[in-house]
C-alpha cells in the first residue's frame, strides 16, 4: 500500500471533502507498515474497499415552523461498513453538517465500533437542521419529517441510529414514535439513546463522557499517574461534556475550565454538582452559552469571552465538542501552561498539527475513536437488552462499560507499544480497529 497514491486518488474522486480525507489519511499512515505485512489484504484490495462507504442516502426534509412557514433541510445517512455487524452510528443535527463531515464520522465509527468488541458496523447520519432557538414543537415536527424519509433504510438488524450533536433523548423519542407510527413495527431496537420507560438503557446519556474518563483512568495508570486532584479543562456544553464532568469529579479530578462557542468559564475551585446539573438543564433547553454558567454561579465561575478552555492552566485537556477544535497553537498553549495529557472525547477533536505536537513533546495523547467509544458501546448494550426484552440494573451496565473501555485500552497498548516501551495510542487504536474489520472483509469475500 502506498498512502500517497491512495490519498491522491481519493482527493481526485472526492475534492473538497477535507474532514473525510483527513480521517482516512490518519488511519492509513498508522496502518501502512502492518498492512504491507499482509499481502492477502492487498490482493483483496481491502483498503480501496474500506475507505469508500457502502452507500449514502441524501433526502429532502420539509417541515413547517411555528409561523406556519415551510422550511426545507437536507438529511443524510452514510452506511459505511457492515463487515462485522449492522450499521451503527449517531445522527447529528447541526447547521454545519455536510456529506464530508458524515463520511469522516462514519469512517471513524467503523473502527471505533470494532474496538468495542461488539458486533456493530459503522454508519453516521444527520441534517443541516439547526435546533438552536427552535421550539419543542418545531423540533418534533422536524424529527417526524426526518423519520418520514429515513425509515426506508433503517431497522433493528439493518441500521440502528443513535443520538449525536443536536440529537438527545427528546429527539430520539420523536423519531422513534414516528417510526413506529409509519411502519407499525413496535420494536424498541431500531434507535438507541431511548428513554428508560420505553427501552432505553441506564447511563446511555452519560456513557460517552463516563467511558472517556474510564479510558483516561487506564491511560494514566499505565503511565504511573492518577486522576485524583488533577486540574481538567473541558470543551463543549452538551451531553458528552456533562458526562465527562460528572465522572471526572466522581473520580477525584477537578474540572476548572469549560468552554462553549462564546468563551470559557474558569472555575478555580472546581465544578460543583449543582453546576453539572445546570449543564444538563442548559442542554435540555438547547442553550450553549457558557456565560450563563457564570451568571448562574457568581463568584464561583468567571466568564472570559472569546477564549477557549485550553487557555486555562490544567493538567489534562478533554476536547468534548467538535472535530478539529484543538489547533497546534492551542496545543502549544496547553503545554506552556503545564498540561501533560490530552484525550480526545470529541471525534477527531484535534487537528493533525496538534497531535504531532503532543506526540513530539511527550504529552500523553489518545484519539477519539478509542476514548469516546463508550457511547456506542452502551448503545450496543442497549441493543442487546432490547433483543432479549430485558433491562439491566445500573451497576451491571456500568460494569460492562468499564470492562469494554479497559479492553479498548488493552488493544491500544497491544498494537501501539513502541520499541522504547511508550504507547502510541493513535497507532494502537487504528491498527486494532483496522485488523478486525479487514479480517472480517477478507473472510466474507469480495461483496
Amino acid at each position: 500500500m502506498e498512502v500517497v497514491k491512495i490519498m491522491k486518488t481519493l482527493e481526485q474522486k472526492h475534492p473538497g471533502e477535507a474532514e473525510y480525507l483527513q480521517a482516512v489519511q490518519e488511519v492509513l499512515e498508522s496502518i501502512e507498515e502492518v498492512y504491507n505485512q499482509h499481502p492477502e489484504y492487498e490482493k483483496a484490495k481491502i483498503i480501496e474497499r474500506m475507505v469508500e462507504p457502502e452507500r449514502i442516502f441524501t433526502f429532502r426534509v420539509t417541515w413547517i415552523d411555528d409561523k406556519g412557514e415551510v422550511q426545507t433541510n437536507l438529511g443524510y445517512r452514510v452506511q459505511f461498513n457492515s463487515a462485522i455487524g449492522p450499521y451503527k452510528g449517531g445522527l447529528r443535527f447541526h447547521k454545519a453538517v455536510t456529506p464530508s463531515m458524515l463520511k469522516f464520522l462514519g469512517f471513524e465509527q467503523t473502527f471505533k465500533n470494532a474496538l468495542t468488541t461488539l458486533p456493530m458496523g459503522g454508519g453516521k447520519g444527520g441534517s443541516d437542521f439547526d435546533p438552536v432557538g427552535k421550539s419543542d414543537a418545531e423540533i418534533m415536527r422536524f424529527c417526524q419529517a426526518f423519520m418520514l424519509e429515513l425509515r426506508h433504510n433503517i431497522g433493528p438488524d439493518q441500521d440502528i441510529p443513535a443520538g449525536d450533536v443536536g440529537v438527545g433523548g427528546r429527539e430520539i423519542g420523536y423519531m422513534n414514535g414516528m417510526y413506529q407510527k409509519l411502519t407499525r413495527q413496535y420494536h424498541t431496537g431500531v434507535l438507541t439513546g431511548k428513554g428508560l420507560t420505553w427501552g432505553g438503557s441506564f447511563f446511555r446519556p452519560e456513557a460517552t463522557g463516563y467511558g472517556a474518563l474510564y479510558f483516561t483512568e487506564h491511560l494514566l495508570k499505565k503511565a504511573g499517574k492518577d486522576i485524583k486532584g488533577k486540574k481538567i479543562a473541558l470543551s463543549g456544553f452538551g451531553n458528552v461534556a456533562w458526562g465527562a464532568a460528572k465522572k471526572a469529579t466522581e473520580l477525584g479530578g477537578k474540572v476548572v475550565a469549560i468552554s462553549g462557542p462564546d468563551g470559557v468559564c474558569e472555575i478555580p475551585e472546581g465544578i460543583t454538582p449543582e453546576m453539572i446539573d445546570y449543564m444538563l438543564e442548559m442542554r435540555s433547553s438547547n442553550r450553549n452559552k457558557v456565560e450563563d454558567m457564570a451568571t448562574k454561579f457568581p463568584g464561583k465561575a468567571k466568564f472570559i469571552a472569546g477564549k477557549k478552555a485550553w487557555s486555562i492552566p490544567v493538567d489534562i485537556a478533554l476536547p468534548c465538542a467538535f472535530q478539529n477544535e484543538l489547533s497546534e497553537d492551542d496545543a502549544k498553549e496547553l503545554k506552556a501552561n503545564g498540561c501533560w495529557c490530552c484525550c480526545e472525547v470529541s471525534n477527531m477533536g484535534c487537528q493533525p498539527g496538534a497531535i504531532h505536537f503532543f506526540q513530539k513533546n511527550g504529552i500523553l495523547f489518545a484519539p477519539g475513536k478509542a476514548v469516546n467509544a463508550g457511547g456506542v458501546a452502551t448503545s450496543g448494550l442497549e441493543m442487546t437488552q432490547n433483543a432479549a426484552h430485558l433491562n439491566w440494573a445500573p451497576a451491571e451496565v456500568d460494569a460492562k462499560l468499564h470492562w469494554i473501555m479497559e479492553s479498548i485500552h488493552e488493544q491500544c497498548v497491544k498494537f501501539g507499544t513502541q520499541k522504547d516501551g511508550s504507547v502510541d495510542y493513535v497507532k494502537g487504536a487504528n491498527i486494532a480497529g483496522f485488523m478486525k474489520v479487514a479480517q472480517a472483509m477478507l473472510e466474507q469475500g469480495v461483496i
Side-chain angles (χ1 to χ4, degrees):
M1 173 181 68
E2 296 181 31
V3 174
V4 174
K5 182 179 179 181
I6 292 175
M7 289 308 304
K8 185 176 181 180
T9 300
L10 282 178
E11 288 166 6
Q12 291 173 343
K13 290 171 67 176
H14 308 288
E17 298 189 356
E19 300 101 334
Y20 163 65
L21 295 170
Q22 178 186 336
V24 172
Q25 181 158 352
E26 182 207 280
V27 171
L28 296 190
E29 289 176 347
S30 293
I31 68 169
E32 183 175 14
E33 184 179 348
V34 170
Y35 184 86
N36 290 333
Q37 294 171 5
H38 291 269
E40 67 274 23
Y41 292 164
E42 181 64 31
K43 183 179 179 181
K45 294 294 186 287
I46 293 293
I47 282 296
E48 287 81 353
R49 292 157 55 194
M50 191 182 287
V51 299
E52 295 285 1
E54 292 176 9
R55 62 188 63 83
I56 302 175
F57 301 103
T58 303
F59 47 91
R60 185 186 68 197
V61 184
T62 304
W63 57 285
I64 299 175
D65 65 19
D66 287 345
K67 297 177 181 178
E69 296 180 2
V70 176
Q71 302 291 334
T72 300
N73 289 95
L74 288 176
Y76 309 94
R77 187 64 179 172
V78 178
Q79 296 179 335
F80 216 102
N81 191 292
S82 59
I84 63 174
Y87 308 103
K88 187 79 191 80
L91 296 170
R92 177 172 294 194
F93 292 170
H94 193 278
K95 59 186 178 182
V97 163
T98 63
S100 173
M101 179 189 293
L102 296 178
K103 283 170 67 177
F104 122 65
L105 290 167
F107 182 73
E108 290 276 293
Q109 195 78 45
T110 299
F111 302 106
K112 182 194 306 185
N113 291 358
L115 287 171
T116 68
T117 73
L118 301 173
M120 301 182 294
K124 209 73 179 182
S127 173
D128 58 0
F129 169 76
D130 185 2
V132 176
K134 301 294 191 301
S135 71
D136 187 77
E138 287 176 322
I139 288 173
M140 181 181 71
R141 288 195 292 271
F142 174 80
C143 288
Q144 291 173 339
F146 184 83
M147 184 53 72
L148 189 64
E149 298 299 326
L150 183 66
R151 69 185 171 99
H152 298 293
N153 303 300
I154 63 173
D157 297 309
Q158 176 185 3
D159 185 347
I160 306 93
D164 193 76
V165 175
V167 179
R170 173 182 57 177
E171 291 77 15
I172 292 294
Y174 292 149
M175 286 188 279
N176 193 81
M178 191 63 169
Y179 177 84
Q180 294 190 154
K181 180 75 172 180
L182 293 167
T183 64
R184 301 184 70 181
Q185 295 178 11
Y186 304 104
H187 194 296
T188 57
V190 74
L191 292 164
T192 57
K194 301 182 292 297
L196 285 173
T197 57
W198 46 282
S201 174
F202 283 105
F203 294 128
R204 180 56 191 93
E206 306 98 321
T208 303
Y210 275 29
L213 268 298
Y214 290 153
F215 185 95
T216 302
E217 195 176 28
H218 287 293
L219 178 146
L220 296 180
K221 183 178 179 181
K222 174 69 176 173
K225 298 179 181 291
D226 193 324
I227 197 171
K228 291 180 180 177
K230 303 302 185 296
K231 293 182 178 180
I232 300 169
L234 299 173
S235 63
F237 223 63
N239 277 349
V240 176
W242 165 66
K246 190 175 179 183
K247 183 55 65 174
T249 303
E250 287 179 11
L251 295 175
K254 189 177 180 181
V255 177
V256 298
I258 183 165
S259 64
D262 54 332
V264 62
C265 249
E266 184 177 8
I267 312 168
E269 299 304 314
I271 199 166
T272 65
E274 293 77 19
M275 291 179 183
I276 295 172
D277 289 343
Y278 186 63
M279 289 176 67
L280 185 60
E281 180 185 326
M282 292 184 70
R283 162 65 187 92
S284 300
S285 58
N286 282 319
R287 303 196 328 268
N288 60 354
K289 289 186 177 182
V290 293
E291 184 177 7
D292 292 349
M293 178 75 83
T295 303
K296 178 74 173 179
F297 300 96
K300 294 182 179 180
K302 176 186 176 184
F303 176 69
I304 307 170
K307 287 289 187 177
K308 299 180 181 180
W310 327 129
S311 62
I312 307 300
V314 294
D315 301 296
I316 301 169
L318 300 176
C320 301
F322 230 66
Q323 72 268 11
N324 288 324
E325 58 177 293
L326 199 155
S327 68
E328 184 174 353
D329 287 340
D330 295 327
K332 290 177 179 177
E333 185 172 21
L334 279 168
K335 183 177 185 301
N337 285 335
C339 179
W340 45 265
C341 176
C342 176
C343 289
E344 282 184 328
V345 188
S346 51
N347 293 299
M348 205 167 74
C350 296
Q351 296 176 17
I355 297 173
H356 295 152
F357 179 84
F358 286 143
Q359 292 176 325
K360 289 178 181 178
N361 286 273
I363 294 174
L364 293 169
F365 175 79
K369 63 170 63 69
V371 180
N372 72 24
V376 73
T378 306
S379 278
L381 297 177
E382 183 176 328
M383 290 164 56
T384 302
Q385 293 171 78
N386 294 159
H389 301 285
L390 52 76
N391 187 248
W392 293 327
E396 187 170 0
V397 176
D398 192 42
K400 291 179 187 297
L401 172 60
H402 206 155
W403 180 85
I404 288 172
M405 298 313 299
E406 183 177 7
S407 174
I408 293 172
H409 182 263
E410 289 173 354
Q411 292 177 69
C412 290
V413 171
K414 176 182 177 181
F415 290 100
T417 298
Q418 306 300 292
K419 293 179 180 179
D420 62 0
S422 64
V423 180
D424 184 333
Y425 283 92
V426 174
K427 181 174 286 188
N430 285 333
I431 293 175
F434 166 79
M435 292 295 284
K436 183 173 181 178
V437 178
Q439 193 62 30
M441 291 176 68
L442 185 69
E443 292 175 6
Q444 294 175 63
V446 179
I447 52 177

